[in-house]
Amino acid sequence: REAGILSGIGEARYWLGEFDQAEAALTRALATPDLGSRVESHAARFLADITLNVKGDPGTAEPLFEKALSAARQLDDPWGTARTLLMAGWLPIWKDSDYDLARSMFEEALGIARENPVKDPWAEARALTSLASAISPVGDEGECLRLGEEALALGNEMGDPFTVAVAHQYVGNSLRRMARLDEALPHLNDAVKGFREMDARWEIASAVGDRGTVHRLSGRLDHAETDLR
């Protein structure tokens, strides 16, 4: 029970952007004897994500992701497996710029979410945007735009403001890369607004930076400077 509580606290701190406190709670959870596969999978995947994306340490993150994915598969847990793949799929990009492997992991997560008998639209939407990230550097931006728009529709259908904001950011960035700047700006405005309403600090910074880039490319240098600062 203690491990489960610690893992839950770690996740809450993670979403608040309080990564040091999250790391401490998740590390304690994983050190708890007989924590069980479900808690192990949960704590290991969040700790791995912090280790990869905040600490920038793919070598330490890799065995944590392997532990999380193994435990989720052992449980035959579609929720845990899909969510672990969605986080772990960034590892090959960090390590080797291996977008093909990342794409296959995100596609597996998407398939698991769609085949879940009780549905998992949150994971489905995140898999769509993650796929767009893996495809954009090496593939068709039009396909990325379609994936982002599909995720946005799912977010609106769920009434999930976080998913909606994430999808707006992806759609806006795809439109920017296609030089459709006037269409991109409203999506990025909506992303910034949504993240601010949730006080999602990490995401606010990312979306504001993306919006600043659109302002710069559009020649609105004062607006760009404000956002990029």
Side-chain angles (χ1 to χ4, degrees), residues 70-199:
S70 175
R73 292 194 194 281
Q74 181 181 341
L75 290 165
D76 195 23
D77 173 15
W79 289 273
T81 303
R83 282 157 175 74
T84 303
L85 285 164
L86 288 172
M87 291 182 176
W90 296 98
L91 183 67
I93 295 175
W94 267 83
K95 283 184 63 182
D96 306 307
S97 298
D98 189 343
Y99 291 95
D100 289 338
L101 179 55
R103 179 172 183 166
S104 72
M105 294 172 76
F106 295 142
E107 286 175 338
E108 183 183 357
L110 180 61
I112 291 169
R114 285 178 166 168
E115 292 166 11
N116 191 322
V118 296
K119 306 299 182 186
D120 190 0
W122 187 92
E124 182 179 353
R126 293 310 294 269
L128 289 165
T129 53
S130 297
L131 265 173
S133 289
I135 293 168
S136 180
V138 295
D140 177 11
E141 198 62 48
E143 182 180 2
C144 298
L145 177 60
R146 179 186 61 78
L147 291 167
E149 289 173 337
E150 192 175 346
L152 181 56
L154 273 172
N156 284 322
E157 184 180 327
M158 284 188 288
D160 177 13
F162 187 81
T163 297
V164 169
V166 168
H168 272 303
Q169 185 176 7
Y170 273 84
V171 170
N173 282 331
S174 284
L175 290 166
R176 170 179 58 80
R177 295 185 191 103
M178 298 169 77
R180 294 162 60 178
L181 302 178
D182 289 343
E183 295 174 72
L185 186 59
H187 285 285
L188 292 170
N189 283 336
D190 285 343
V192 171
K193 180 175 182 289
F195 289 137
R196 279 185 171 151
E197 288 174 351
M198 291 176 280
D199 194 27

Side-chain angles (χ1 to χ4, degrees), residues 37-68:
S37 295
R38 192 169 301 279
V39 175
E40 180 179 48
S41 177
H42 181 269
R45 80 169 181 262
F46 279 101
L47 184 57
D49 193 64
I50 292 169
T51 304
L52 178 65
N53 289 302
V54 180
K55 304 291 185 180
D57 184 357
T60 303
E62 187 167 16
L64 288 167
F65 277 130
E66 289 172 351
K67 180 183 291 189

